[in-house]
């Protein structure tokens, strides 16, 4: 019976107990029973023999304050576990973010600088994971590009020197040809003057005779 209350075998209570014994089930009242000694929950459980047969029922009366205290403790423990899990997850998330995003950011900076035409320095990613291997390949590629760029610049410098030398030679040769052409023209003028000087300035006027001359 409840504390301070006489046990009364009500038909409704007996039917409920018989059902619990026959079904071998546990049952807890969802509603609080209010008594002079406080508020209580009633729990019932079937007693089973070695053959698995229900032979009786045990009733446990639990103070509602204990249930409320248990619920409060359970909520506090759940909140503490949630906060601890959240903190661990946040730390782990920050670690993963640094582990993945920092190397990727460095690689992207190097790639963007290379795409802009600038030869970046070595990407500093140390470790044994895929990011380190990728950084090693990127650094090797940048080194090869720097070497190829230097060789290209050297070839361009040599080509420019050859072009300048060729232009200078063409200029000198053109000047020489021009000077030779002018000298040849002067000699032609002088030869023409000499040829004209060899011819008579005028022919004698002799009656009945026609005179002419030809220089070949």
């Amino acid at each position: 019976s409840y504390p301070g209350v006489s046990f009364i075998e009500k038909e409704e209570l007996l039917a409920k107990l018989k059902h619990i014994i026959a079904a071998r089930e546990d049952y807890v009242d969802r509603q609080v029973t209010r008594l002079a000694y406080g508020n209580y929950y009633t729990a019932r459980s079937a007693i089973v023999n070695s053959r698995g047969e229900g032979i009786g029922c045990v009733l446990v009366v639990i103070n509602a304050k204990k249930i409320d205290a248990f619920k409060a403790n359970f909520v506090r423990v759940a909140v503490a576990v949630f906060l601890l899990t959240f903190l661990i997850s946040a730390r782990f998330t920050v670690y993963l973010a640094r582990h993945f995003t920092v190397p990727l950011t460095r690689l992207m900076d190097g790639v963007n600088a290379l795409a802009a035409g600038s030869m970046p320095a070595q990407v500093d990613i140390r470790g044994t994971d895929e990011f380190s291997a990728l950084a090693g390949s990127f650094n090797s590629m940048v080194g090869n590009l720097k070497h190829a760029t230097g060789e290209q610049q050297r070839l361009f410098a040599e080509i420019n020197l050859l072009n300048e030398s060729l232009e200078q030679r063409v200029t000198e040769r053109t000047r020489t040809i021009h000077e030779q052409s002018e000298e040849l023209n002067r000699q032609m003028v002088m030869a023409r003057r000499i040829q004209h000087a060899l011819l008579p300035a005028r022919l004698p006027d002799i009656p009945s005779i026609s005179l002419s001359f030809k220089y070949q």
Side-chain angles (χ1 to χ4, degrees):
S1 66
Y2 294 109
V5 179
S6 300
F7 182 76
I8 302 175
E9 294 182 348
K10 295 181 179 180
E11 292 296 330
E12 180 183 357
L13 177 61
L14 291 177
K16 184 182 296 185
L17 295 177
K18 290 179 180 179
H19 174 74
I20 292 173
I21 295 172
R24 292 168 296 177
E25 296 178 350
D26 297 331
Y27 179 81
V28 179
D29 288 336
R30 296 184 179 274
Q31 294 182 354
V32 178
T33 302
R34 302 182 184 277
L35 302 174
Y37 295 93
N39 300 329
Y40 295 89
Y41 287 99
T42 302
R44 302 175 177 86
S45 180
I47 301 174
V48 182
N49 61 11
S50 60
R51 295 188 299 272
E53 299 173 348
I55 60 174
C57 182
V58 60
L59 279 72
V60 180
V61 179
I62 305 173
N63 195 320
K65 292 183 179 179
K66 296 182 179 181
I67 300 296
D68 294 337
F70 174 79
K71 290 181 179 179
N73 290 332
F74 180 81
V75 171
R76 285 193 291 268
V77 171
V79 172
V81 170
F82 171 76
L83 292 177
L84 181 61
T85 305
F86 176 77
L87 291 176
I88 294 175
S89 301
R91 292 289 299 274
F92 187 67
T93 302
V94 171
Y95 170 76
L96 288 179
R98 291 181 178 177
H99 180 72
F100 288 104
T101 59
V102 172
L104 286 177
T105 301
R106 293 179 181 176
L107 284 173
M108 287 303 299
D109 291 340
V111 172
N112 291 332
L114 187 62
S118 174
M119 290 296 176
Q122 298 288 317
V123 177
D124 186 13
I125 300 177
R126 301 177 184 178
T128 58
D129 53 5
E130 290 80 2
F131 294 110
S132 301
L134 186 59
S137 300
F138 179 79
N139 293 334
S140 178
M141 180 188 67
V142 172
N144 293 333
L145 286 176
K146 287 182 178 180
H147 178 72
T149 303
E151 186 68 17
Q152 185 182 28
Q153 292 177 354
R154 186 184 64 81
L155 291 175
F156 282 160
E158 291 182 358
I159 292 174
N160 289 331
L161 290 176
L162 291 175
N163 288 335
E164 291 177 358
S165 177
L166 181 61
E167 290 176 357
Q168 184 177 2
R169 292 181 181 178
V170 170
T171 302
E172 294 177 354
R173 183 62 177 172
T174 303
R175 184 171 58 251
T176 301
I177 294 174
H178 181 69
E179 293 176 353
Q180 291 177 352
S181 177
E182 290 182 349
E183 180 65 22
L184 182 60
N185 289 332
R186 286 194 297 270
Q187 293 179 2
M188 292 292 293
V189 172
M190 186 178 297
R192 186 162 49 251
R193 290 178 180 177
I194 294 173
Q195 292 171 355
H196 282 288
L198 294 176
L199 300 178
R202 61 179 182 172
L203 296 175
D205 187 13
I206 301 175
S208 301
I209 296 177
S210 176
L211 299 176
S212 63
F213 58 87
K214 178 183 179 182
Y215 178 86
Q216 183 174 357

